[in-house]
């Protein structure tokens, strides 16, 4: 069903900070609640919506993409573990 937990990386281009950047968010939906955590802020031109990652033109793209991947994986594992826990009970 639609109440399956999910993890997404979202670029909030509609929210712009004074320096022209927008936040990259980790969005976790679990038990019908959505939680968003900001991972970093980048300029819209630095975001690749297809890969959901920061473009190579960004000076810190390696570090930030590694952070995004790590947070995404950790959130997925957390959700997976929680589901396993519920099944075991």
């Amino acid at each position: 069903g639609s109440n399956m937990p999910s993890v997404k990386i979202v670029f909030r281009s509609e929210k712009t900070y004074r320096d022209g950047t927008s936040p990259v968010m980790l969005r976790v939906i679990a038990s019908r609640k959505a939680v968003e955590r900001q991972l970093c802020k980048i300029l819209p031109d630095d975001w690749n919506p297809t890969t959901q990652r920061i473009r190579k033109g960004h000076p810190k793209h390696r570090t930030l993409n590694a952070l995004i991947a790590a947070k995404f994986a950790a959130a997925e594992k957390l959700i997976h573990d929680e589901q396993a826990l519920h099944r075991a009970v």
Side-chain angles (χ1 to χ4, degrees), residues 6-29 33-49 52-54 68:
S6 71
V7 183
K8 280 198 185 90
I9 301 295
V10 196
F11 182 60
R12 291 259 170 256
S13 54
E14 72 279 2
K15 182 176 169 68
T16 310
Y17 295 106
R18 239 175 241 149
D19 60 0
T21 61
S22 294
V24 176
M25 310 290 283
L26 177 75
R27 183 174 169 82
V28 180
I29 301 170
K33 283 200 292 282
V35 179
E36 285 195 2
R37 290 261 156 71
Q38 183 173 313
L39 300 178
C40 57
K41 317 185 294 184
I42 55 163
L43 294 166
D45 286 351
D46 288 324
W47 184 245
N48 184 334
Q52 301 277 281
R53 292 291 183 271
I54 294 161
I68 290 170

Side-chain angles (χ1 to χ4, degrees), residues 83-89:
Q83 280 186 297
L85 191 73
H86 284 307
R87 278 198 295 274
V89 171

Side-chain angles (χ1 to χ4, degrees), residues 39-89:
L39 300 178
C40 57
K41 317 185 294 184
I42 55 163
L43 294 166
D45 286 351
D46 288 324
W47 184 245
N48 184 334
T50 312
T51 60
Q52 301 277 281
R53 292 291 183 271
I54 294 161
R55 293 185 197 277
K56 287 186 178 71
H58 191 286
K60 288 202 212 146
H61 75 93
R62 277 204 184 85
T63 311
L64 293 177
N65 282 332
L67 171 83
I68 290 170
K71 295 284 186 187
F72 183 85
E76 285 223 306
K77 185 182 186 309
L78 208 68
I79 279 177
H80 185 78
D81 290 351
E82 200 179 315
Q83 280 186 297
L85 191 73
H86 284 307
R87 278 198 295 274
V89 171

